[in-house]
Amino acid sequence: MTTHPDPALREAPAVVPQGGPADDWAHGVDTVPQAVETPDELQPYAELGLRDDEYDRIRHILGRRPTQAELAMYSIMWSEHCSYKSSKVHLRQFGEKAPPSDRLLAGIGENAGVVRVSDELAVTFKVESHNHPSFVEPYQGAATGVGGIVRDILAMGARPVAVMDPLRFGAADHPDTARVLPGVVAGVGGYGNCLGLPNIGGEVVFDPCYQGNPLVNALCLGVLPVDRLQKKEAAGPGNVVVLMGAKTGRDGIGGVSVLASATFDEGSEQRRPSVQVGDPFTEKLLIEACLELYDAELVVGIQDLGGAGLTCALTETAAAAGTGMRVWLERVPLREPSMAPHEILASESQERMLLVVAPDKLEAVLKTAEKWGVLATAIGEVTPPAPDGQPGRLLVTWRDRVVVDVPPGSLVDDGPVYARPMREPADLILLQADRAETLPRPSTPDALRETVLRMIASPNLADKTWVTEQYDRYVLGNTVLAQPEDAGVIRIDERTGLGVALSVDGNGRYARLDPYQGTKLALAEAYRNVAVTGAKPIAVTNCLNFGSPEDPGVMWQFAEAVRGLADGCLELGIPVTGGNVSFYNQTGAAAIHPTPVVGVLGVLDNVADRVPMGFVPRPGGDHDQLFLLGETHVELSGSEWAWVTHEHLGGIPPQVDLARERQLADLLAAAARVGHLTSAHDLSDGGLAQSLVESCLRRGIGVRVVLPEHFAGGSMPFVFLFSESAGRALVSVPRGHEKAFTALCAEHGVPWEFIGVTDPAGGALEVHDQFRIGLDELRGAHTATLPRLFGGEETAQVAVEATRTGTATVLPATAEQPVDVDPDAVAAEPIARAGAADGGATTEGQPDATAPAAAEAGPESADADNAAETGDVPVEAAAAPVADPASDDVDAPEAAPTSTEAGPDGSATATGDPDQPAAPDQR
Amino acid sequence: MTARVGVVTFPGSLDDGDAARAVRIAGAEPVRLWHGDPGLHGVDAVVLPGGFSYGDYLRCGAIARFAPVMETIVDAARGGLPVLGICNGFQILCEAHLLPGALTRNQHLHFRNRDQILRIEAVGTAWTNAFQPGQEVLIPVKNGEGCYVADPATLDRLEAEGRVVARYLGGNPNGSQRDIAAITNEAGNVVGIMPHPEHAVEALTGPSLDGLGFFTSVLKHLVGAPA
C-alpha cells in the first residue's frame, strides 16, 4: 500500500457530508460516514509514524478506514512515546519483581506513584523526560517539561511541593552547549520559579555523547492527605466532561509522534513550531483551582493533558472506567478558530486538565474555576458501556459531524507491543577489556595535588552554583536541604516535622560499560544519597533515556538496564512506583550512552534529625572525627578521573553490592537518630577527594586527612582519593561519639576507617605526607569553571553558605546534637587517629607514626558518655570483627605486586605491574 | 490583644503562605486577604508577598496595583497603615507609587537565588525598629527583576532623608543602584524590600533567623502607635 503526502488530506472529498455549517474549509473535514463510503482513500499513515501492519490493525479494529482525526489519534497513541510498545515487555519486571510494600497507594500505570508516609499523608513523585523539545527550543522545551510533570503530580490529588532536574549536555566547551544549557536552565527556573516550587536538586552532567541530544529530565514531588487520592476513571454515565485551563492552540501538534519519536537531523529547525509554549501563571492557577476542587470533593475523576493532549486524556479516562464518552469538539475553547478536529484532538497546548464531574456539581466546579480565573468548559459527557457489557465508545462530533467513533481501549491498551531484537553491542567486549586501571596514575604528592585541583574544576565535578542559583529553593518555606546537598529534604508536616528526602542520579558512562551494573549503580547512588541525610529510602522512580529501540544494541542495553533496576529494587526492598521511557535519543546512527536516571524517595520522621553533607563549625572550634564508611577498591574504570585526565572510557564499572548499601543506609539512619553524625556525604563521581572538597567548601571548614596504612605508597594515595567504589560515605562524628559510632558500624556490618579530623582553624584540605591546599585555592578552582564557560560576573559566589560577622546570629545548618567539649583535648590535638575496631582486617588502628601522643584523645576518652547515648553498647561490640571477609583482601600494594582479579564473568586475569596494583577484590 | 497582620494573595502570589508563617512565628495573627476583595478585615498591618502576580508578563506588579484590594491598601497606607512589600510586593508598591523608583531586570539577566548579607541602615521604620543601626543580617534573595533604579535626584533624596532601609553587602546580586535592597516612604510606615525576610525565620529552613526582626518590628510599632 502506498501513501499520500499530506496535501492529499486537504483535497475536498468527492462526497460532501450532509448538514453542518457551509464554510468552505470545513468541507475538508473527514467524517465517519465518509470513511465508510471511501474505503480506498489513501492515508498518510507512514508519515505519521505508523507501520503497514499497524495501519491494517486500525482498519481491523474499526471495520473501516480511520477518519483523518482517528488516524491522528491512533498515530500518537500508538507512538513509542505514548504506547511504550518497545519497552512494555521489559517494564513488566518492575511489577513482577516488586518487593511487597504496604505503602504503595498507586503504582505503575497511574499518572504517578503514590506512597503512604504516615497515617494521614502520602507523597507522589515521578520523573519524566523532555529531551527532544529541549534540543529544538531549550527554554520552552525545558519549561514545559517541568509543567508536564507537575500536572502529573497534580492529577493524583497532590499539591506539588518541589521539583528536581537531572540535566545532561554535550561537551561543556562545545559551542552548542552554550546555546542549549543557558536556555534549559532558564526554562527550568522560569517555569518552576513562577509556579512557586522550590528546586531542591538534580544533576548537571556533560558528555560529548549528549551533544546533539541533551537530556532534560524533570522530577516533581507532591503531598496529599491519603483520602484525597484522585482517580482518572471517567466513571458514572451522565457525568460531565470538563476541560479546564488554557485554551487549545496549534502548539505541539504532532509533537509526540514527530518530535518525541524522531531522531535529530538537519531538518530539525523546521520543527520548532511543534514545541509547546509554557504559561506557568496559568498552571499556578490551575493548581490552586484543582486543589480547591479536590478538597470540596467536586470531581469524580481527573487527568492531566500532556503528550497526545485531549486524545490521550479522553481515551485514558474512558478506558480506565470501561465507559464511553460523547464529546462536542467545537466546544473546546480555541486559541485559533481555524483549527481542524484532528488538530484539536492532537494539540499539546499546556496547562490543561480534564475533569469528570457529577452534573449537580458542575456549577460549583465552574465557580471555583472562575474564582481562580481559569477557563472551564463542559465539552462532553460520560456514556454507558454497551448493553452487552463491552466497554463504551468514544464518539466525537465536530459541528454535528461524527469525526471519531472508536473503542477508547483500542488506543490505550490495544496498541502494538514489540519484542524487538536485542544483541549485545559488538564493541562492548573490547570496551570492557580496555580497563582504566591500567592508565598511568599520579604517584607523587605534587602530581596528586595537581590532580585534585584539576578534577574539582572539571565540568562534571565543578561547583554548579551558576545553574542552581537560577532556581528558587526557598519558596513554600519547607526546604530543609537543597542542592548541592546529596539529597533534597522537604518538610511535609510542620506540626510533626515529618519530611521526605529525594535524590536523582544516573551515570551514563557506567551504564555504557555495563547497563545492568550501571543501572544498579545509579540506583545505589540515589539510595545512598537519600540515606546519608538520615532518611529511610522507601520508593523508586526512573527515567530511562536510551537510543533507538530499533537498534538491537540499544534494545539490549535497555533490557539490561530494566533488569538491573528491577533486580536492584528487589534486593533493596523498595518498589518502583512509576517512571518514563525516552527512546530515540540519538543523532544519526550515534546513540547516547544508555542513561537510566533513578530517583529514590526516603522518609524522615523528623526533619530536624537530617544530616547535612558539609562539615560544620563546632562549639569552641572543636574537631570532628572523619570516618570513611565502606570499602575502597582499585576501581577506576568509567571514573571521572579516567575521563578527565585520559579521555578514557573502558573497563567494567565499580562493583555494586546492594546488601552492603542497605547495611550502610541502616547504619546512617540509626547514627543520625542518636546524633552521632554532624555531616555525611556520599562518595561517587570523583571519589573521596571530591567529597572531601565539597564537604570542606560548604561552610569553609578545613580537614586534616591521614592515609590508612594500606593506601600509603606509590599510587595508592591516588586510589584512595579517586577510586569510585560504591557503597561508601564520608561522615564526621563529634568527639566523644566515636566509640559508640564505630560500635554501631560493627553492629551493622559496615567497614569503617578513621581518616582524620576537621580543622576549622586550619583553612585547608591537608592530606598528611601528601599535600595541603588552602580552601581559597580549592574554592577558586571549584567555582570558576561554569561562570567561565557560560558567562557571569567575576564575583560568582560559592555554594558556601554565606557567613559574616555582625550582630545577628548565623545558624549552622547542622543537626542539633549533644557535644562534649574538652578544651584541653582540643588544644592538644593535632590529629587523632582512632583505633579501628575491625579486628579481622588489615585496617586495624595503628597509631600514626607522625601523630603525637595526644592522639589518645580518640574514642577511649569518652566511653562513659557514649554508653549513655547509644543505649549502652558494650565495648566488645566495637571490637568484634566486622562481618566482612572482603576487607581482608585490601591489598598492601608493595606486599602484593601481583594479584588476581576476577572479571564479572568469573574469569580471572593477572596483572603484574607493581605500580599498577590490580583491583584487590572484584567480587 | 494579638496584632492582626494581613497577607494579600494575588493570582500568582507564591510566598504568601511563607509570609503568613513568619507573621505567626513573630507572634501575630496572620489574616489572609484576597486580591479581589477590597476589604482589609480590620488588619493592623499588611504584607504584600513575593511571587509573580498575574504572571508578571507585563511589568512586574503593573497589573496587581489595580487589584481592588490595592485601592484600599494605598489609601490606608497614606493614612499610616504599616505595609511591607517583599520582592513582588516591593514591585507592586513602586507601581502603586507608594514608593519611588522601579525594579528592573537583574543586570546579569538571570534569576538569582542566594543567601545575601544586608546592612540595615534605617531603623526608624515600622518594619525595622527591632534592628540596630548598621546591623548586618543574612537573608535569602531570589528574584529576576530586583535591580532598583531611580533618577539621581530621587536617590539623593532617599539617602538624605535616611530612607534607604537596607543595602546589599558582599556583592550586589542584581545591579541595584547604590546597592539598595530596601527603601521606605517619608512616613516610614511603607517599606519595600527585595530580599525575603520571611525565608529567614526558622533554623530548619532558613540561613538565619534574621528575617524575624521585620515582623517583630511591626508588632513593636503597633504597640507604640497611637490608637
Side-chain angles (χ1 to χ4, degrees):
Chain A
M1 169 161 255
T2 58
T3 59
H4 269 302
D6 246 9
L9 282 172
R10 310 203 190 286
E11 283 174 23
V15 184
V16 177
Q18 80 290 4
D23 42 329
D24 283 339
W25 62 270
H27 288 175
V29 168
D30 193 17
T31 64
V32 168
Q34 196 178 317
V36 173
E37 282 176 36
T38 58
D40 299 327
E41 171 108 6
L42 298 175
Q43 295 190 288
Y45 62 86
E47 285 81 348
L48 288 167
L50 289 166
R51 300 180 356 175
D52 290 352
D53 57 332
E54 291 172 345
Y55 179 69
D56 290 344
R57 188 148 158 204
I58 296 167
R59 294 188 68 118
H60 176 76
I61 288 169
L62 298 177
R64 57 174 165 80
R65 75 162 174 87
T67 65
Q68 184 183 332
E70 288 165 343
L71 183 64
M73 292 171 75
Y74 278 101
S75 76
I76 49 184
M77 288 302 288
W78 285 10
S79 73
E80 187 65 59
H81 183 82
C82 290
S83 72
Y84 290 75
K85 57 188 168 189
S86 303
S87 55
K88 234 176 199 170
V89 294
H90 302 285
L91 298 176
R92 284 183 190 132
Q93 292 173 64
F94 293 146
E96 290 159 6
K97 294 182 184 169
S101 168
D102 50 3
R103 291 178 179 273
L104 203 58
L105 302 182
I108 295 166
E110 300 294 334
N111 286 306
V114 179
V115 197
R116 180 195 287 267
V117 290
S118 74
D119 288 345
E120 297 89 30
L121 289 177
V123 297
T124 174
F125 73 127
K126 190 182 174 187
V127 58
E128 231 174 44
S129 65
H130 228 218
N131 304 339
H132 294 86
S134 301
F135 176 70
V136 178
E137 213 300 283
Y139 185 98
Q140 292 297 346
T144 54
V146 175
I149 193 66
V150 166
R151 285 192 302 282
D152 274 331
I153 294 306
L154 178 62
M156 299 310 297
R159 172 177 282 282
V161 295
V163 293
M164 292 178 119
D165 56 326
L167 307 175
R168 285 173 170 76
F169 304 98
D173 54 0
H174 190 286
D176 198 50
T177 304
R179 169 188 75 94
V180 176
L181 181 142
V184 165
V185 171
V188 169
Y191 205 99
N193 294 345
C194 190
L195 219 46
L197 296 178
N199 187 310
I200 57 169
E203 298 175 284
V204 179
V205 178
F206 301 96
D207 191 293
C209 77
Y210 307 112
Q211 196 62 64
N213 208 117
L215 301 186
V216 175
N217 295 174
L219 179 148
C220 184
L221 168 74
V223 180
L224 66 154
V226 288
D227 54 8
R228 201 172 74 189
L229 184 64
Q230 298 296 311
K231 300 185 188 120
K232 67 175 171 189
E233 280 88 359
N239 282 343
V240 185
V241 178
V242 175
L243 183 61
M244 184 163 85
K247 285 185 179 177
T248 299
R250 278 208 172 89
D251 51 340
I253 290 181
V256 167
S257 55
V258 179
L259 273 180
S261 304
T263 53
F264 288 118
D265 51 37
E266 284 70 28
S268 55
E269 268 100 52
Q270 283 150 31
R271 294 185 179 137
R272 189 161 300 153
S274 291
V275 177
Q276 313 87 317
V277 176
D279 172 5
F281 174 58
T282 296
E283 181 123 321
K284 165 71 177 167
L285 301 179
L286 203 53
I287 291 172
E288 299 304 331
C290 283
L291 292 173
E292 211 166 295
L293 294 177
Y294 300 154
D295 284 335
E297 298 181 0
L298 292 177
V299 293
V300 174
I302 185 159
Q303 168 80 314
D304 63 300
L305 273 72
L310 207 46
T311 293
C312 181
L314 294 172
T315 54
E316 279 196 4
T317 51
T323 52
M325 216 179 259
R326 170 81 173 82
V327 174
W328 290 266
L329 210 54
E330 68 279 1
R331 295 183 185 174
V332 173
L334 299 181
R335 229 180 283 157
E336 299 167 78
S338 64
M339 286 173 72
H342 76 272
E343 293 180 307
I344 301 169
L345 285 164
S347 164
E348 295 188 351
S349 288
Q350 300 289 292
E351 294 93 23
R352 298 180 298 163
M353 302 288 281
L354 190 78
L355 319 177
V356 178
V357 177
D360 59 333
K361 303 274 176 65
L362 180 62
E363 201 186 323
V365 168
L366 298 182
K367 219 167 164 177
T368 300
E370 193 188 339
K371 173 188 165 189
W372 286 101
V374 183
L375 265 180
T377 314
I379 63 163
E381 69 175 40
V382 179
T383 56
D388 59 0
Q390 289 294 305
R393 291 181 78 85
L394 172 63
L395 190 77
V396 179
T397 58
W398 185 77
R399 301 187 182 179
D400 297 330
R401 304 150 199 235
V402 178
V403 292
V404 174
D405 183 0
V406 296
S410 70
L411 288 107
V412 181
D413 304 318
D414 303 341
V417 176
Y418 299 130
R420 298 215 187 250
M422 306 185 287
R423 197 180 326 115
E424 183 181 305
D427 64 352
L428 191 60
I429 195 155
L430 285 173
L431 195 65
Q432 290 183 337
D434 177 18
R435 304 169 57 251
E437 285 76 10
T438 63
L439 297 170
R441 305 170 194 165
S443 56
T444 65
D446 282 350
L448 205 50
R449 185 182 198 280
E450 193 274 330
T451 303
V452 169
L453 288 169
R454 180 169 177 194
M455 291 298 293
I456 61 170
S458 65
N460 286 338
L461 299 182
D463 175 70
K464 299 299 187 304
T465 301
W466 189 92
V467 169
T468 58
E469 74 175 6
Q470 296 188 46
Y471 307 145
D472 184 347
R473 66 179 182 276
Y474 281 108
V475 66
L476 298 180
N478 287 312
T479 307
V480 176
L481 293 179
Q483 65 275 15
E485 298 284 339
D486 288 317
V489 171
I490 292 285
R491 176 176 62 185
I492 62 170
D493 187 339
E494 283 188 51
R495 197 172 35 86
T496 62
L498 178 69
V500 295
L502 251 178
S503 180
V504 275
D505 293 284
N507 187 318
R509 282 198 308 261
Y510 289 167
R512 174 72 177 90
L513 297 179
D514 183 342
Y516 179 82
Q517 292 288 351
T519 307
K520 278 189 165 182
L521 280 162
L523 171 66
E525 186 183 346
Y527 181 88
R528 204 181 319 124
N529 277 332
V530 163
V532 290
T533 67
K536 177 184 167 55
I538 57 166
V540 173
T541 186
N542 63 90
C543 188
L544 305 173
N545 305 277
F546 287 77
S548 166
E550 294 158 42
D551 174 340
V554 169
M555 209 54 223
W556 178 83
Q557 291 172 330
F558 179 78
E560 285 292 286
V562 171
R563 191 169 67 85
L565 186 56
D567 287 353
C569 288
L570 185 57
E571 287 173 58
L572 290 173
I574 52 178
V576 174
T577 64
N580 170 245
V581 176
S582 173
F583 277 132
Y584 296 100
N585 291 290
Q586 58 185 68
T587 313
I592 59 164
H593 290 333
T595 311
V597 170
V598 181
V600 170
L601 176 97
V603 62
L604 268 164
D605 291 337
N606 187 351
V607 287
D609 294 337
R610 90 294 185 209
V611 180
M613 97 181 184
F615 303 132
V616 294
R618 308 293 296 155
D622 203 357
H623 307 262
D624 282 342
Q625 316 273 321
L626 301 185
F627 290 88
L628 177 60
L629 307 178
E631 286 178 357
T632 305
H633 305 290
V634 185
E635 293 183 306
L636 301 169
S637 290
S639 71
E640 201 61 46
W641 169 78
W643 181 250
V644 170
T645 59
H646 296 280
E647 286 189 30
H648 180 276
L649 176 60
I652 52 167
Q655 294 299 294
V656 52
D657 181 339
L658 294 170
R660 288 286 184 87
E661 299 283 355
R662 217 171 157 161
Q663 290 169 328
L664 179 64
D666 289 348
L667 164 69
L668 289 164
R673 232 180 354 255
V674 293
H676 285 333
L677 305 177
T678 50
S679 77
H681 192 1
D682 144 80
L683 265 62
S684 52
D685 305 6
L688 177 62
Q690 177 73 7
S691 290
L692 282 168
V693 170
E694 288 176 347
S695 293
C696 285
L697 291 183
R698 189 81 173 119
R699 287 177 199 81
I701 306 284
V703 287
R704 276 175 290 153
V705 175
V706 277
L707 295 170
E709 304 273 293
H710 49 288
F711 283 104
S715 67
M716 289 314 282
F718 161 79
V719 170
F720 185 60
L721 289 171
F722 288 99
S723 165
E724 296 187 2
S725 295
R728 297 182 301 158
L730 170 69
V731 300
S732 62
V733 175
R735 272 164 18 82
H737 287 248
E738 308 91 327
K739 196 84 178 176
F741 174 69
T742 52
L744 205 58
C745 291
E747 195 182 305
H748 284 84
V750 174
W752 58 271
E753 200 140 39
F754 171 81
I755 63 162
V757 293
T758 61
D759 184 9
L765 164 64
E766 188 181 325
V767 178
H768 192 72
D769 275 347
Q770 293 292 328
F771 58 83
R772 178 182 190 281
I773 311 176
L775 294 187
D776 287 345
E777 191 177 357
L778 287 174
R779 187 174 294 124
H782 192 46
T783 58
T785 307
L786 262 59
R788 178 173 57 73
L789 288 165
F790 302 108
E793 335 118 274
E794 58 296 342
T795 60
Q797 225 187 26
V798 194
V800 173
E801 296 195 350
T803 50
R804 50 83 181 87
T805 53
T807 41
T809 327
V810 182
L811 300 167
T814 171
E816 294 308 316
Q817 40 217 346
V819 187
D820 314 297
V821 184
D822 178 352
D824 293 334
V826 174
E829 183 198 18
I831 277 208
R833 171 152 183 150
D838 185 346
T842 55
T843 54
E844 78 182 79
Q846 303 275 330
D848 190 299
T850 60
E856 300 315 314
E860 292 76 16
S861 64
D863 279 352
D865 299 313
N866 290 335
E869 290 206 28
T870 56
D872 204 47
V873 179
V875 177
E876 284 71 23
V882 175
D884 172 32
S887 61
D888 291 321
D889 299 334
V890 177
D891 278 354
E894 261 57 274
T898 304
S899 67
T900 301
E901 72 172 344
D905 53 356
S907 70
T909 48
T911 55
D913 181 350
D915 287 324
Q916 308 296 338
D921 179 26
Q922 301 274 17
R923 288 174 311 281
Chain B
M1 206 185 88
T2 317
R4 290 160 50 82
V5 178
V7 176
V8 179
T9 298
F10 299 97
S13 289
L14 304 177
D15 301 293
D16 44 344
D18 304 272
R21 182 193 293 113
V23 165
R24 181 167 40 79
I25 292 173
E29 180 195 344
V31 178
R32 307 302 287 263
L33 303 176
W34 182 244
H35 70 109
D37 174 4
L40 292 186
H41 303 274
V43 297
D44 304 304
V46 166
V47 178
L48 302 180
F52 292 73
S53 55
Y54 303 91
D56 278 345
Y57 293 137
L58 194 57
R59 262 184 355 263
C60 298
I63 298 179
R65 70 140 313 176
F66 292 108
V69 74
M70 279 308 294
E71 292 183 22
T72 324
I73 288 173
V74 168
D75 284 347
R78 298 215 160 102
L81 180 78
V83 178
L84 176 68
I86 303 169
C87 194
N88 192 221
F90 188 5
Q91 294 161 340
I92 294 167
L93 290 174
C94 289
E95 287 289 335
H97 302 299
L98 283 174
L99 293 173
L103 294 142
T104 61
R105 188 114 185 252
N106 291 353
Q107 232 165 34
H108 46 74
L109 306 181
H110 297 297
F111 186 96
R112 177 158 294 166
N113 177 7
R114 61 167 61 154
D115 297 340
Q116 178 72 42
I117 303 169
L118 307 178
R119 185 173 57 229
I120 306 291
E121 299 199 347
V123 296
T125 81
W127 298 92
T128 52
N129 60 50
F131 295 102
Q132 300 297 314
Q135 183 172 344
E136 291 176 15
V137 299
L138 182 67
I139 287 182
V141 64
K142 50 177 188 117
N143 60 65
E145 307 201 9
C147 176
Y148 183 76
V149 296
D151 60 86
T154 303
L155 292 171
D156 289 344
R157 213 178 84 220
L158 286 173
E159 305 260 15
E161 293 173 1
R163 288 164 56 195
V164 174
V165 172
R167 257 187 256 264
Y168 300 115
L169 280 191
N172 180 333
N174 46 36
S176 286
Q177 291 182 335
R178 303 191 191 182
D179 297 335
I180 288 174
I183 58 170
T184 185
N185 63 349
E186 285 173 33
N189 64 313
V190 178
V191 169
I193 180 167
M194 212 56 217
H196 289 258
E198 81 280 18
H199 288 304
V201 296
E202 282 188 284
L204 208 54
T205 56
S208 75
L209 299 184
D210 295 350
L212 214 45
F214 290 85
F215 301 93
T216 54
S217 288
V218 78
L219 303 190
K220 212 168 124 190
H221 172 84
L222 290 171
V223 172

